[in-house]
Amino acid sequence: MNLTEFGFVAGWRLVRALPRPVAAAAFSAVADRAHRRRGAGATRLRANLRRVVGPELPEAELDDLVRRGLRSYARYWMEAFRLPSLSRGQVLAGFRLDGTELLAADVAAGRGAVVALPHAGNWDMAGAWVVANGWPLSTVMERLKPEGVYQRFTAFRERLGMEILPTTGGVRPPLDVLTDRVAAGAVIPLLADRDLSARGVAVDFFGGRTRMPPGPALLALRTGAPLYVASMWYEPDAACASLVGPLPVPGPEVGTLDVRVRSLTQLIADGLAAGIARHPEDWHMLQRMWLD
């Protein structure tokens, strides 16, 4: 076990043993220290948030937004470490979704649903909440490095009741497995706001060019399942989300599959941008985002 993996293990074992106010205060202090040090992650978050809020916001207000953003990110980690110790009732009480009736109807009808998510709020709590409602959930997860950290994160999410598929190295391509799961009526949440690989689809996002994953659009086009875009944020007492959709899915008359995927992915990008603009402090994007 290397030092990084040891840190995650210690977090899961120790943080959930602390009273929540104590853990929250400790993680906020770490976030404030990161804000004062202005390291690489904080600097990148500042640049990303400047894109979101535009050039008009005064530097002092942007600085406060970055501080709140780092505190939100720290809250995510604190809650993730504590999540395995929560009861079903605590999970149901700790997350609120505007659009619950949409997912409930999709699952009940057996048509499943695809949900495009931002790296915002608490997506692990969202997934645990879906499972706590008795709805099947499958998703994909990037292979983190080192491998031990990836395995522990996979086990963490599987213990919460989620089916986790690797982006690479699985028995079957993840899109094929997810197609089967949608046909069985599952909810398929997919992080959709960043894919700078060669596979990513170029989109306009807050006035700049970036790339986003084609998976949500491809899955919706392949299966006919409703496709939603989620906005995710924090309130003092809960993680929250709202759904926009189902998005209009372009038909064959629009063009080739590639054209349809690009068109639908741009709609996803627009929906993600609207949600992030409403709650920029809860967008946890501490990595490079734009191609320029």
Side-chain angles (χ1 to χ4, degrees):
M1 183 186 301
N2 65 24
L3 191 58
T4 301
E5 187 177 353
F6 177 80
F8 281 106
V9 173
W12 269 302
R13 290 179 180 174
L14 299 177
V15 174
R16 61 187 176 186
L18 295 172
R20 182 185 171 97
V22 174
F27 274 74
S28 291
V30 171
D32 290 348
R33 183 170 182 266
H35 178 248
R36 291 191 300 270
R37 292 183 62 189
R38 298 181 181 272
T43 299
R44 177 60 69 180
L45 178 63
R46 185 185 188 90
N48 289 341
L49 290 175
R50 174 55 82 187
R51 287 268 197 170
V52 171
V53 300
E56 296 83 12
L57 190 74
E59 285 297 318
E61 293 182 36
L62 177 62
D63 195 57
D64 181 65
L65 178 61
V66 172
R67 181 184 63 83
R68 288 184 284 124
L70 290 169
R71 282 194 166 198
S72 175
Y73 187 48
R75 176 176 172 178
Y76 161 74
W77 281 108
M78 184 270 291
E79 291 184 349
F81 287 139
R82 295 174 63 84
L83 189 51
S85 66
L86 300 186
S87 67
R88 176 176 179 271
Q90 288 172 315
V91 169
L92 291 172
F95 182 81
R96 292 194 294 270
L97 175 66
D98 180 8
T100 300
E101 69 286 351
L102 296 172
L103 287 188
D106 292 332
V107 174
R111 57 179 167 258
V114 182
V115 184
L117 307 175
H119 286 81
N122 191 330
W123 51 92
D124 283 315
M125 179 66 85
W129 180 88
V130 168
V131 172
N133 276 285
W135 304 334
L137 182 151
S138 300
T139 189
V140 297
M141 179 176 164
E142 182 182 0
R143 280 195 176 273
L144 303 172
K145 294 181 180 180
E147 179 71 13
V149 171
Y150 167 77
Q151 294 295 342
R152 289 184 182 278
F153 254 105
T154 299
F156 155 63
R157 288 169 173 151
E158 288 177 341
R159 283 197 300 271
L160 297 172
M162 311 177 200
E163 180 186 30
I164 305 299
L165 307 171
T167 52
T168 58
V171 176
R172 298 170 61 201
L175 188 63
D176 291 349
V177 179
L178 293 178
T179 299
D180 292 345
R181 300 299 185 262
V182 169
V187 177
I188 312 296
L190 298 170
L191 289 166
D193 54 351
R194 183 178 185 270
D195 181 0
L196 300 188
S197 72
R199 301 184 304 275
V201 178
V203 295
D204 293 315
F205 192 62
F206 288 108
R209 296 292 283 174
T210 188
R211 288 196 289 266
M212 293 185 176
L218 269 173
L219 189 59
L221 288 166
R222 176 185 280 197
T223 64
L227 171 62
Y228 302 97
V229 176
S231 173
M232 304 185 72
W233 70 95
Y234 273 125
E235 297 291 348
D237 63 328
C240 299
S242 64
L243 297 180
V244 172
L247 299 186
V249 176
E253 69 281 359
V254 172
T256 64
L257 178 61
D258 182 63
V259 169
R260 296 161 70 197
V261 167
R262 284 190 277 115
S263 173
L264 192 48
T265 303
Q266 182 62 62
L267 287 180
I268 292 171
D270 294 342
L272 293 172
I276 291 166
R278 286 192 296 271
H279 304 281
E281 69 276 9
D282 293 316
W283 188 39
H284 306 151
M285 187 53 67
L286 279 70
Q287 296 82 31
R288 177 184 175 221
M289 185 68 205
W290 281 272
L291 298 175
D292 56 357

